[in-house]
Amino acid sequence: MRASPTRKLQLYVAAAAVGSVAGLALGLPQLVALAAPFAVYVAVGLVLTRRPELTVEVTVARRRALENEPVPGCVTLTARSAVDGLQLELALGAGVVVAGVPLSWPRRLAAGGLCEVEFELRASRWGAYDLGSLRARATDRFGLIRYELSGVTLGRLRALPSRETLRLLLAPLELQATTGSRTARDRGEGIEFAENRPFVSGDRLRRINWRVTARRGTPYVSERHPERNADVILFLDTFAEAEGTGGGGTLALAVRAATSLAAAYLARKDRVGAVGFGGTLIGVRPRLGLEQLYRIIDALLGSEVVFSYAHKDVSFVPRRMLPPKALIIGISPLLDDRYINALLDLRARGFDLTVVEVSPEPFAEAGAGRSGELAYRLWMLQREALRTRLRELGAPVARWRDDEPLQVPLAATSEVKRMLRRPLAG
């Protein structure tokens, strides 16, 4: 522990020095007598002072938590010698706050004493955070020397975006050839019944429906739908966002929507990937399993709007990130022309595209006066024209606002997708 003089020691030394010098210079022993107690106190205190032996350990219960979820922590203080005037200072990183009751600790620890100070931390927004560090201060029993122990780091915390429960998802128009939990429209080996048809040469005997055969007097076989899975690509817009006065914005909502969709599709045995398309490119190849969910979340935690004048199109995205027959879900406030052109390019290439519009309208207000109101109405009409254009190209748009569950626009858009049997060519 680093030692430094306290304000008390400085005042006592100054009083003893001034009294002694003034008494000797003026020939007044009374001043020397007044300064003597201060000098004796300092001398005895410095002789009897022993450096406290204090061990500080900080543990955090979890390194991953949801945003705004309290994370328990504990500070363990072990004193091998008596510690007086104990003070703890928690220097938290940006975006991290102490949740609940503030820290409380004893002012004195006896030799061999053990103390545990519990606390809770909370991250107000998803992201990767440096929790900060802890400082411990103590003084000797005379209050002359201050001892400080610093550099006890708390580590890092990854605050995951909160997820919504989605029961009805956007169904892909085409499925992959690999086995999954979705029922294909094709005929083949499977569980789901499709139809009965007359027996032809080459059919397997085990596929004969004996009840229908006995009723009609001629062999009939049962056709079934095979079980397949889908490739789902979450195409996140990181070109621009609309921010609110309270610190929220469309990017935070978009990451929450992407996390909820990834968890729901992976639970249905689909392969899910993610592409962050903006000033910087973020890509996660489509895979299966719970581990893939955390890969996507870790990639999304680094999402941020990076200002860039660069003109980017779909050619910047590696081909392995956009597999054929994939369902691409664009998640965007539809504010940047570069991202909008990328959506139109994807649709022109024949991809099954659906857009989840994270509405920026709650974060925008009409300007003052009649001209501001007219400009706002014109902006709203331009956005409606863009939605109409995407729908006409076969890319339904689900408008999502923060004041409603994500399931609401998804359910409405899934009804539209059911009427689209095949993706349009462009």
Side-chain angles (χ1 to χ4, degrees):
M1 300 182 73
R2 185 171 59 88
S4 60
T6 63
R7 184 65 174 172
K8 182 179 180 180
L9 176 59
Q10 295 173 355
L11 292 176
Y12 276 32
V13 170
V18 171
S20 301
V21 173
L24 294 175
L26 300 176
L28 298 174
Q30 296 88 342
L31 295 179
V32 178
L34 289 175
F38 295 99
V40 172
Y41 187 91
V42 170
V44 172
L46 293 178
V47 170
L48 298 180
T49 293
R50 295 293 182 269
R51 182 184 294 270
E53 298 181 4
L54 180 67
T55 303
V56 181
E57 296 182 359
V58 182
T59 57
V60 179
R62 300 188 301 274
R63 295 299 174 179
R64 294 177 182 266
L66 295 176
E67 53 183 344
N68 290 317
E69 179 185 7
V71 178
C74 181
V75 179
T76 304
L77 305 171
T78 306
R80 291 191 292 271
S81 62
V83 179
D84 295 280
L86 181 61
Q87 296 180 358
L88 298 179
E89 179 183 347
L90 194 60
L92 297 177
V96 182
V97 296
V98 177
V101 182
L103 298 177
S104 60
W105 59 90
R107 298 288 297 176
R108 188 179 190 279
L109 283 178
L114 177 66
C115 176
E116 294 184 349
V117 180
E118 298 181 351
F119 61 93
E120 289 183 344
L121 300 177
R122 184 180 69 245
S124 57
R125 185 179 181 271
W126 54 263
Y129 294 93
D130 184 0
L131 293 180
S133 60
L134 178 72
R135 293 181 180 179
R137 295 188 180 92
T139 59
D140 66 301
R141 55 181 174 174
F142 297 97
L144 301 178
I145 304 296
R146 179 188 296 110
Y147 299 94
E148 181 176 343
L149 177 64
S150 60
V152 182
T153 59
L154 278 66
R156 297 182 62 83
L157 174 69
R158 304 185 76 84
L160 309 181
S162 58
R163 302 201 299 263
E164 297 191 23
T165 301
L166 303 177
R167 301 183 182 278
L168 183 61
L169 297 175
L170 300 170
L173 298 180
E174 296 187 67
L175 301 178
Q176 303 296 332
T178 52
T179 302
S181 58
R182 295 183 179 273
T183 302
R185 295 193 299 267
D186 302 331
R187 305 293 191 268
E189 296 293 335
I191 300 176
E192 190 73 19
F193 174 78
E195 62 178 0
N196 293 320
R197 63 169 177 80
F199 178 87
V200 296
S201 178
D203 288 337
R204 297 182 181 181
L205 294 179
R206 66 179 183 180
R207 297 178 61 183
I208 295 179
N209 190 321
W210 296 106
R211 290 186 178 181
V212 178
T213 299
R215 185 166 62 249
R216 300 195 176 185
T218 182
Y220 268 76
V221 296
S222 295
E223 290 280 6
R224 301 189 181 277
H225 294 293
E227 286 72 38
R228 297 287 183 258
N229 71 353
D231 285 348
V232 181
I233 304 299
L234 305 174
F235 197 63
L236 185 66
D237 179 8
T238 58
F239 273 117
E241 71 167 329
E243 294 182 339
T245 57
T250 56
L251 181 60
L253 297 177
V255 172
R256 187 199 306 174
T259 303
S260 303
L261 289 169
Y265 278 108
L266 287 171
R268 299 196 178 190
K269 311 302 181 184
D270 291 326
R271 300 199 317 161
V272 181
V275 175
F277 189 65
T280 57
L281 185 65
I282 301 174
V284 179
R285 296 182 61 182
R287 291 189 179 90
L288 294 167
L290 181 61
E291 185 178 352
Q292 176 69 357
L293 175 61
Y294 288 105
R295 290 195 195 100
I296 294 175
I297 292 177
D298 287 342
L300 294 178
L301 290 182
S303 300
E304 60 179 350
V305 174
V306 178
F307 182 77
S308 173
Y309 284 111
H311 176 74
K312 292 186 176 181
D313 53 27
V314 181
S315 61
F316 283 83
V317 182
R319 292 185 178 181
R320 62 179 181 274
M321 300 294 179
L322 301 173
K325 300 182 180 180
L327 168 62
I328 299 180
I329 302 178
I331 307 174
S332 167
L334 299 179
L335 294 174
D336 195 283
D337 291 337
R338 291 169 293 184
Y339 184 83
I340 296 172
N341 292 333
L343 293 180
L344 298 176
D345 192 358
L346 288 172
R347 188 63 193 131
R349 296 175 186 229
F351 282 100
D352 179 12
L353 176 64
T354 301
V355 180
V356 176
E357 178 193 352
V358 183
S359 178
E361 296 170 9
F363 305 97
E365 297 180 357
R370 182 171 178 79
S371 60
E373 182 180 354
L374 290 176
Y376 182 78
R377 293 174 59 186
L378 178 61
W379 178 66
M380 297 286 287
L381 289 174
Q382 290 175 341
R383 296 187 60 81
E384 185 60 35
L386 175 61
R387 299 187 197 103
T388 303
R389 183 183 180 187
L390 289 171
R391 294 191 190 101
E392 291 176 349
L393 293 175
V397 179
R399 297 177 61 187
W400 178 47
R401 299 170 63 98
D402 188 27
D403 55 359
E404 66 180 2
L406 180 59
Q407 183 67 89
V408 174
L410 290 182
T413 307
S414 63
E415 294 296 331
V416 178
K417 288 188 65 66
R418 288 178 183 178
M419 297 185 296
L420 301 176
R421 305 303 298 176
R422 293 183 179 179
L424 300 177

